[in-house]
């Protein structure tokens, strides 16, 4: 069957698609597949449980004296649920998660096989680190790393497709020299830096109760779903995650309502199934809805402590993918799967919370609490102002470049939206020249009435990359396919650093004898003035903002190859070192890995595009060309009889000829450029070359192919079209 015939078969089948084939959802218990607190309490000896709780509460490492006991309980629990294998589940720097399954079985000296899982296996596995990207950091003798359970994230069971299961142990991945080889270790370190810096602020405000402060995160994950059979017919989707060719559907084809009933049912069945799976894994999926683009959806869980939230987002992506597969659907997590159609992102909702359960970005009930709130708020403004380039770098990828700066997503310019009321307050603090009678000043400012006002202040700016939304910040520029670890590591470290600076300055004021509230307001005033350029309340998608931002001196780095430089900029390196989040070597490693990934992504895209043009698009075009030629010949032989003209056919033939020759020429240009690029030794130069020469050429090369798609008869066009993938399900 030709690909075109297959497409038409799929169309027929989808029309008859019934949901009856899907098994009915069973009743499940929340977290039944996690080794959570309840299970630990049941299965562990009291003293071990207490020690483990303490470890988790403090965010400390697992105490070896209890490891054996915990491992044993974990194994017994897992085996009782049909588990046969275990794996350390970790985040290497590829953006995915890694696992290597080991069976519980071990061979005894007498040849007996027994099931065993000891403390040292819980604490460290030994995957061979040499095949994970390290950014050229590792010499051979230190090529080995180990993984270690992060006890603050509960172990969980992933069930096999036909029963049986794998015990997954969320882990960090470190080299023997102590270098972080993964994304989670720096994330945990950044949590520690927030803890220290924020506690110091709380103590300044006389809070002696809170014993720990943690960042919290909740991710709104966007994704596309298309019929799996279409996906299989598109090598570009399979290999690169996005369509490298494809004519944009004509405007006004948003006739989804037409299909709405059907779409809803098939997708709803998928969502319910995925959510149930997540539910069993202790991931509280809370909201689901359709997104702007056709076939685009969103899922968001209830927020959690940062490292758990980050693990959950990885799990959400994995479970969505698996479930989609089971439902005959393909999950597209790429930031821009379809040209001319809105792309996908991830809204990273971030806040900080103390051990007493107080959200520190929630204005309090008293003026003092509100002043403390303003300290955290201004520290965040300072973090984005000082380290906006680093935040931009943390979300940079070839995929996300398609989105940032298009008219649909927050731009590559980092700015903060605060809303009218907070803006007013900050402006008042800025204007309050000498803050003498602070009590009066505070009442004048209206910060004693903050909470109710903010809650009412529901008008939101949807275009801001970094928006305050009542009691949290929403970092909206994160890519849909990316791990949230790095952006949150950078954000947490930068905020911690700003909190340190502000605390130091308040201390200095107090030493001079300034009264407390006045001291705080003086310091805030200084930073409010300094950070003003990154506050923007208008439309971030507009051309005017780009110009205005340039006038304000804000960076606007559109391509990843250049944005990544922020990882090695001295001011950023200093800050991350100061906060003990990265070492210089670890940063350089990440810088190199990301440059390499950028180049590789584009390299694969070029190869795939040239390949599908050569092996599918051109042959289809040539077929139509020869059909037209023989039709014209036939026509000419009879035209004397009826006096008709072959002109329309000749015109089409002209168009086809033109597109074929454009396509051949541009493909040649593209592969020549690629060849040149691949010869560049230095990865930084290479990435820049790709950014400057390959990215636009990819677009230029697809153009004649997209033109052909609108000329060539449907029954010889080799690929599913946007109109099929996005409007039929
Ligand atoms: P929207 O932004 O679309 O209005 P929601 O208000 O439902 O969406 O929140 C989006 C996400 O923000 C959810 O994942 C939610 O759990 C998360 N969230 C809410 N409060 C916090 C918080 N204090 N810290 C981190 N994330 C939070
Ligand atoms: Mg939101």
């Amino acid at each position: 069957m030709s690909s075109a015939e297959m497409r038409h078969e799929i169309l027929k089948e989808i029309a008859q698609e019934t949901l009856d084939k899907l098994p009915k959802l069973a009743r499940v218990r929340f977290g039944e597949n996690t080794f959570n607190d309840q299970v630990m309490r049941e299965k562990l000896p009291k003293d071990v449980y207490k020690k483990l709780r303490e470890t988790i509460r403090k965010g400390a490492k697992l105490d070896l004296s209890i490891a054996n006991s915990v491992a044993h309980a974990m194994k017994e629990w897992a085996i009782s649920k049909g588990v046969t294998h275990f794996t350390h589940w970790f985040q290497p720097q590829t953006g995915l998660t890694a696992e290597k399954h080991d069976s519980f079985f071990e061979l005894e000296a007498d040849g007996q096989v027994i099931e065993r899982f000891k403390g040292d296996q819980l604490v460290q596995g030994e995957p061979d680190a040499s095949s994970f990207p390290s950014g050229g950091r590792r010499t051979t003798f230190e090529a080995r790393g180990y993984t270690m359970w992060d006890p603050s994230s509960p172990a969980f069971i992933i069930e096999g497709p036909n029963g049986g299961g794998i015990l997954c142990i969320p882990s960090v991945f470190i080299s023997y020299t102590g270098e972080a080889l993964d994304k989670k270790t720096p994330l945990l370190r950044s949590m520690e830096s927030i803890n220290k810096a924020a506690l110091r602020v709380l103590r300044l405000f006389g809070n002696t109760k809170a014993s720990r402060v943690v960042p919290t995160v909740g991710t709104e994950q966007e994704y596309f779903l298309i019929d799996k059979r279409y996906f299989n017919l598109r090598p570009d989707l399979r290999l690169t995650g996005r369509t490298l060719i494809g004519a944009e559907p004509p405007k006004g084809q948003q006739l989804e309502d037409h299909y709405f009933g059907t779409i809803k049912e098939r997708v709803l069945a998928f969502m319910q199934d995925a959510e149930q799976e997540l539910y069993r894994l202790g991931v509280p999926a809370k909201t689901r809805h359709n997104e702007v683009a056709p076939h685009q959806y969103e899922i968001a869980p209830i927020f959690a402590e940062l490292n758990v939230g980050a693990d959950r987002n990885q799990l959400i992506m994995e479970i969505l993918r698996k479930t989609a597969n089971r439902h005959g659907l393909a999950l597209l997590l790429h930031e821009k799967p379809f040209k001319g159609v809105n792309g996908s992102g991830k809204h990273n909702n971030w806040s900080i919370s103390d051990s007493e359960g107080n959200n520190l970005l929630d204005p309090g009930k008293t003026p003092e609490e509100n002043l403390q709130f303003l300290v955290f708020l201004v520290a965040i403004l300072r973090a984005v102002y000082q380290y906006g380039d680093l935040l931009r770098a943390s979300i940079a990828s070839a995929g996300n470049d398609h989105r940032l700066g298009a008219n649909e997503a927050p731009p590559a310019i980092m700015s903060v939206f605060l809303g009218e009321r907070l803006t007013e307050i900050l402006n008042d603090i800025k204007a309050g020249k000498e803050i003498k009678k602070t009590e009066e000043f505070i009442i004048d400012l209206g910060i004693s009435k903050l909470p109710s006002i903010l809650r009412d202040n529901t008008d939101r700016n949807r275009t801001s990359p970094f928006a305050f939304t009542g009691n949290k910040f929403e970092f909206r520029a994160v890519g849909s396919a990316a791990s949230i670890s790095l952006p949150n590591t950078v954000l947490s470290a930068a905020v911690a650093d700003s909190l340190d600076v502000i605390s130091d300055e308040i201390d200095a004021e107090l030493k001079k004898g300034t009264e407390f509230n006045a001291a705080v307001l003086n310091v805030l005033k200084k930073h409010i003035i300094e950070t003003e350029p990154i506050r923007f309340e208008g439309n971030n998608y507009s051309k005017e903002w780009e110009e205005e931002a340039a006038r304000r001196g804000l960076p606007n780095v559109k391509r990843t190859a250049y944005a990544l430089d922020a990882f090695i900029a001295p001011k950023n390196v200093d800050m991350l070192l100061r906060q003990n989040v990265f070492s210089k070597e670890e940063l350089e490693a990440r810088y190199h890995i990301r440059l390499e990934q950028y180049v590789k992504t584009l390299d694969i895209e070029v190869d795939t595009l040239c390949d599908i043009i050569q092996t599918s698009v051109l042959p289809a075009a040539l077929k139509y060309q020869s059909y037209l030629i023989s039709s014209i010949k036939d026509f000419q032989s009879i035209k004397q009889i009826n006096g008709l003209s072959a002109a329309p056919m000749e015109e089409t033939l002209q168009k086809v000829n033109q597109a074929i020759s454009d396509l051949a020429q541009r493909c040649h240009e593209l592969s020549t450029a690629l060849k040149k690029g691949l010869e560049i030794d230095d990865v930084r130069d290479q990435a820049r070359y790709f950014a400057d020469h390959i990215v636009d050429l990819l677009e230029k090369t697809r153009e004649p192919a997209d033109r052909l798609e609108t000329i060539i008869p449907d029954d010889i066009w080799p690929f599913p079209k946007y109109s099929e993938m996005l409007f039929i399900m």
Side-chain angles (χ1 to χ4, degrees), residues 216-220 287 298 300-303 349-351 359 460 462 471-472 474:
T216 52
V217 76
T219 46
E220 297 162 67
T287 60
E298 181 187 294
I302 294 174
F303 68 94
N349 293 271
W350 185 95
S351 188
N359 179 349
R460 289 201 184 172
R462 288 273 158 205
N471 60 2
K472 59 186 160 67
E474 204 169 313

Side-chain angles (χ1 to χ4, degrees), residues 23-39:
K24 289 273 169 287
L25 291 179
R27 283 182 79 89
V28 296
R29 263 189 315 119
F30 181 75
E32 64 178 295
N33 276 351
T34 61
F35 193 69
N36 57 21
D37 189 63
Q38 197 191 334
V39 183

Side-chain angles (χ1 to χ4, degrees), residues 266-305:
R266 192 169 177 199
V267 174
L268 187 61
F270 155 82
M271 285 175 169
Q272 287 178 319
D273 203 356
E275 282 164 13
Q276 185 173 70
E277 208 47 45
L278 287 165
Y279 202 66
R280 301 175 75 199
L281 288 167
V283 180
K286 177 101 162 72
T287 60
R288 53 163 109 111
H289 59 84
N290 286 9
E291 264 302 325
V292 210
H295 288 205
Q296 192 186 28
Y297 310 94
E298 181 187 294
I299 180 170
I302 294 174
F303 68 94
E305 293 193 6

Side-chain angles (χ1 to χ4, degrees), residues 91-126:
Q91 300 176 34
Q93 293 176 59
T94 48
L96 307 165
T97 52
E99 21 184 287
K100 170 181 165 253
H101 300 176
D102 275 306
S103 156
F104 285 128
F105 293 125
E106 277 189 16
L107 201 60
E108 290 290 87
D110 60 2
Q112 292 270 20
V113 172
I114 64 153
E115 286 172 326
R116 175 182 285 156
F117 184 55
K118 288 238 250 346
D120 53 3
Q121 287 167 300
L122 184 59
V123 174
Q124 69 184 57
E126 283 192 35

Side-chain angles (χ1 to χ4, degrees), residues 200 500-510 523 526-527:
R200 185 172 162 205
D500 283 348
V501 167
I502 289 175
S503 298
D504 284 346
E505 291 174 358
I506 294 175
D507 275 345
E509 284 274 342
L510 293 175
V523 172
K526 178 188 147 196
H527 293 289

